[in-house]
Amino acid sequence: MIHNRRSKALNFRSRGCAAIGTRPVARYGVLLAGPALGLTVLCAHAQTAAPAVDVQAAEVAIPKPVDKGASSAATATLNTVEITANRRREPAREVPMQVNALSAEELERKGDKSMGDYLSKEPGVSFTSEGAGKAQVSMRGVTMGADTSPTIGVYIDDVPFGSSTIYGSGASLALDMGLLDLNHIELLRGPQGTLYGAGAMGGLLKYVTNEPDTEGGFSGRVGLGLSGNRGGGLSHTENAVLNVPIKEDVAALRVSAFNQKDGGYINRIGSSPESGVNGSSKQGGRASLLLTPTKDLTVRLTATGQYVKRDGTGYVDYGYLTKQPLYGDLTQSRLVDEPFNQTVQVYSAGIEYDFGWARLNSVTAYQTIRTDSGQDDSALASAANMMAGAPLFTRGGSNQLVNTKKFTQEFRLTSPSSRSLEWVAGLFYTNERSSNSQRATLTGPNAAVNWYSADMPSTYKEYAAYGDLTYRFTSRLSATAGLRVAHNRQDFSQELSGIAAGGSRTLASQSSDTSKTFLFALNYLVTNDSSVFGRIASGYRPGGPQPSLFNPITAQATPSTFKPDTLISYELGYKADFFDKRASTSVSVFNIEWKDVQLFDVVNSVGVISNGGQARSRGVEFFGSLAPTPQWRLSAALTYTDARLTQDVPGVQAKSGDRMPNTPTLSASANLDYYFTVASYKAFVGATATYVGPRDSGFPGSIAAPDFKMPGYFKADLRAGIDFRKANVSLFIQNLFDKRGIQSVQTVKVPYGGPAQVAVIRPRTFGMQVDVPF
């Protein structure tokens, strides 16, 4: 959403506060964030650090001006923080959902560089990845392990990112965006289908970028980060941000660029030994032009690009039965290299016009995502030799090239806030074209053969209309009802060749479906400092086409389409401030009923996508913060999730009662920070503790992907920093006790005699970050 700098609601300077991104607010020692703490922006002229605030959600935190006669310990509470999680600006206290915001500056000073660093500290959020550029995210247990298409929506500001389908690898290519010049990252928990559409059935991850500042002078910052870990090379990050006013209060340009090199920590043995094989390089930049020619009109043009390259995966080879490394600590064996290259480009144009009776937003975007990756498939060579009864092949490798081009257009009208009746109405259109090419080659002593080749172009078009109404019965009681109706059409074709494909052939299929998602919520202010809410919301993922294959043995064909899957979430929550605003809490309980679950299945001895039954996820989430004195900050988060199948799924040998993969029953985190002064310079020290409980990599009875029991792990981080006014310096230690916590496991190669591929958390890492604002 574009925020008009002339708008009273977002005019930081008129309130005597520093806008995030104009000058680093963290230098004042009052930008606080964490798993439970959220994002808080306090007035820069406060001389003492303010009490902690559990914001829970913030697109922009806007405190009230500090009364000169009040205590110097300025406060910002849930009542004075505005958010746009519901596509309108409103106090966080009145938002009937669970939302967290992570400050990008706070993440940087903790040494967090990627999704794997910061999402692993967010209780209730599951993250799987083989390395930079490839990741799958889920929340509240809404996952089947390897998901067919996304269960979490990903947005850059108001632009939906990534493919909506399996053919564009949308589930496994969640955007791991560089943190440079981000304002913060929002995590909306629970289905967001009414306002954010297909795929946001488990929640939403939203990157919120900094806007150009038309009111200030020329400004910016440069930064340097250095870190190293045991067994890995030196990692470094260089970045720069420039804000260039073109005409005061009318136009400004903001440009940022970064270069990030990660030394890696996984060693590879085999035909091409290499240390730090999972090391990556990431370069990116953003240019944004903001125009406010009148007080009612705002235009923002933005171009974002990011390139990721790495030499291999972050997997350690484990024995499936022994559950121990096969080749030593942090080591894998590969006969074929596994390079990875990804290019992301996103262009957007946002226009906002305030008619008075409503605000019109138009968001036009075009994006391209190109991912080229290789994989060692030598386990297939061993399986082929067994079938042939002779040593025909010595190794095997595969390559996948996925290319998505996506155009989106959204029009949205939003009524003024603070009225008895508020509403949002919008139209949305997307046109996605993806190509997915896969090649698997087996190599023998004398020649290489085409084991399997497939070219799979596809299209996805969706039209949607949505809206919600909020009615305030009294100053304390409000109700919200929302509805989204969407229709999509998909075309898919597949050109096959190779031994495993049974020769050359071309297959095609089409599908279309219409979906309806709804929302109903009640919110009641018990007191000025506490509220309770109830929320019922639905979500869905689109179905799709697939090849219809005939099995001559069974004389049956596989389905040519798979259906959408849907869920309904029931949630109750409580938010409150205590002890004169020095403590806050947010507690919610939820029950999610998921039906027609999409999954990778086997039908008539052929692998397909099917709808495999039902599942349920129940849980409790707690977020809290405490500031016993102006110097001390404590925040904590705890989630309990019981996510299970409620119906047998014979195709993957799963039974009712089996736990959903990658979902711990219990996860928790805590932050403790102390702020003080050293010779008049602001300084801090802090620590973060994270616990992730035991999980399953799959379903216990699965043959195609055998279950690997992942033990729980504990992780501790330390940090410290000082503001020298002209430069901010922070130091950090991640994984203080050098634990080998298992983050995720892939076992698809185990049936062919291959290893379990285990992704572990980053080993003990020491680092520093220096930022120089100007």
Side-chain angles (χ1 to χ4, degrees), residues 53-402:
V53 181
D54 184 7
V55 175
Q56 300 303 331
E59 178 141 334
V60 181
I62 305 172
K64 293 181 178 180
V66 177
D67 186 345
K68 293 182 179 181
S71 168
S72 61
T75 62
T77 72
L78 288 172
N79 290 312
T80 62
V81 176
E82 291 189 350
I83 67 168
T84 59
N86 282 338
R87 300 292 185 100
R88 65 162 69 89
R89 303 180 185 109
E90 56 190 338
R93 172 72 71 217
E94 299 178 12
V95 179
M97 73 169 74
Q98 190 71 268
V99 190
N100 306 106
L102 312 176
S103 161
E105 289 189 9
E106 185 75 5
L107 294 178
E108 286 183 350
R109 78 174 190 172
K110 290 180 178 180
D112 294 340
K113 300 179 181 179
S114 64
M115 277 185 171
D117 295 327
Y118 58 82
L119 288 186
S120 63
K121 301 173 186 176
E122 290 299 310
V125 179
S126 296
F127 173 84
T128 64
S129 175
E130 68 173 37
K134 193 168 186 179
Q136 177 181 293
V137 184
S138 62
M139 298 184 195
R140 292 185 170 179
V142 183
T143 179
M144 287 292 288
D147 291 323
T148 57
S149 57
T151 64
I152 297 296
V154 177
Y155 268 65
I156 306 173
D157 294 320
D158 269 359
V159 177
F161 175 84
S163 173
S164 303
T165 71
I166 180 177
Y167 303 117
S169 298
S172 61
L173 296 179
L175 178 62
D176 189 356
M177 193 170 179
L179 299 180
L180 174 66
D181 207 30
L182 286 181
N183 190 306
H184 66 279
I185 302 169
E186 288 187 5
L187 297 174
L188 282 65
R189 298 170 186 258
Q192 309 294 325
T194 303
L195 293 180
Y196 292 98
M201 61 194 306
L204 186 83
L205 187 153
K206 187 175 184 181
Y207 295 100
V208 181
T209 65
N210 286 315
E211 291 185 349
D213 182 7
T214 63
E215 299 179 354
F218 178 86
S219 63
R221 69 180 176 96
V222 293
L224 171 66
L226 297 172
S227 65
N229 52 60
R230 188 169 73 88
L234 179 68
S235 299
H236 57 87
T237 302
E238 302 83 30
N239 58 66
V241 180
L242 292 177
N243 188 87
V244 183
I246 300 173
K247 184 176 181 180
E248 186 177 359
D249 209 27
V250 175
L253 175 68
R254 190 176 187 90
V255 180
S256 59
F258 74 94
N259 175 63
Q260 178 177 312
K261 170 66 176 178
D262 190 335
Y265 49 87
I266 302 297
N267 300 317
R268 180 174 64 195
I269 62 174
S271 61
S272 181
E274 182 178 341
S275 297
V277 70
N278 66 319
S280 63
S281 62
K282 182 185 294 185
Q283 294 87 33
R286 182 181 305 108
S288 186
L289 176 66
L290 184 68
L291 304 172
T292 57
T294 72
K295 65 181 181 64
D296 298 320
L297 176 64
T298 304
V299 179
R300 186 182 180 190
L301 307 176
T302 303
T304 301
Q306 179 170 286
Y307 174 69
V308 178
K309 178 182 180 180
R310 53 179 163 83
D311 295 331
T313 67
Y315 291 133
V316 179
D317 289 350
Y318 271 56
Y320 175 72
L321 296 177
T322 64
K323 302 296 188 292
Q324 297 296 320
L326 289 172
Y327 308 107
D329 187 30
L330 301 176
T331 303
Q332 60 178 225
S333 177
R334 298 290 183 268
L335 299 180
V336 176
D337 292 350
E338 298 179 318
F340 180 93
N341 294 273
Q342 182 182 79
T343 302
V344 172
Q345 295 177 322
V346 182
Y347 306 93
S348 64
I351 302 173
E352 177 177 300
Y353 189 83
D354 192 346
F355 290 102
W357 57 271
R359 184 178 69 252
L360 172 67
N361 287 89
S362 169
V363 183
T364 307
Y366 177 76
Q367 60 189 270
T368 62
I369 310 160
R370 187 181 189 276
T371 305
D372 189 355
S373 58
Q375 180 174 292
D376 181 358
D377 281 327
S378 297
L380 285 178
S382 299
N385 290 337
M386 293 178 62
M387 289 187 292
L392 302 178
F393 307 108
T394 58
R395 60 180 179 173
S398 63
N399 176 265
Q400 182 180 33
L401 176 61
V402 182

